[in-house]
Amino acid sequence: ALQETGGLLKKLSFANLKATFFNGAISLTVNGYIKLPTIMGGLIIQWGTVASVAAGAGVAVTFPVAFPTACRCVELTQILPSGNTNTSFSQTPYVLGSSVSTTGFTAQTGGGETNSQYWLAIGY
């Protein structure tokens, strides 16, 4: 019985608890991520930029880290060129993500404009 109790105490050590429940990670780079600890559900939030998405074409984006289970949301926002405050375009532009997987997605744009985009992805 003492040996079993000793084994349980080893399993309940701070190092094991930390590795099991508080195993978050973060990368604060341009294309970065934050992994929330398992105790908080293991949610992962990732972000980045993709440059020069031509109208009607797609650009493959690879997430900084793969989602272990699923990517549930990808949001994109158009980036205006540096110094450009003109928001009138020849056609109404749009940006969208398609072919979303646990490892990435395809960034697309339309409306006759080539643009760069910010993206944000959430999953677990």
Side-chain angles (χ1 to χ4, degrees):
L2 184 58
Q3 192 174 25
E4 289 176 20
T5 304
L8 177 62
L9 289 176
K10 284 182 182 178
K11 289 179 183 176
L12 293 177
S13 72
F14 178 73
N16 282 338
L17 288 172
K18 181 181 175 196
T20 301
F21 296 110
F22 301 101
N23 56 344
I26 191 167
S27 172
L28 297 176
T29 58
V30 172
N31 292 307
Y33 63 91
I34 183 167
K35 290 182 180 182
L36 299 180
T38 304
I39 198 167
M40 297 177 71
L43 187 71
I44 301 172
I45 301 169
Q46 304 191 59
W47 59 85
T49 61
V50 58
S52 299
V53 181
V59 174
V61 175
T62 302
F63 296 133
V65 295
F67 291 104
T69 304
C71 175
R72 292 295 182 209
C73 176
V74 173
E75 294 291 330
L76 294 118
T77 303
Q78 182 175 345
I79 304 171
L80 287 174
S82 181
N84 183 350
T85 57
N86 180 8
T87 56
S88 64
F89 295 89
S90 59
Q91 299 177 33
T92 303
Y94 63 86
V95 295
L96 63 94
S98 64
S99 304
V100 177
S101 72
T102 57
T103 58
F105 67 97
T106 300
Q108 296 179 301
T109 189
E113 303 288 339
T114 296
N115 61 46
S116 298
Q117 303 167 9
Y118 292 117
W119 60 265
L120 178 73
I122 300 172
Y124 53 91

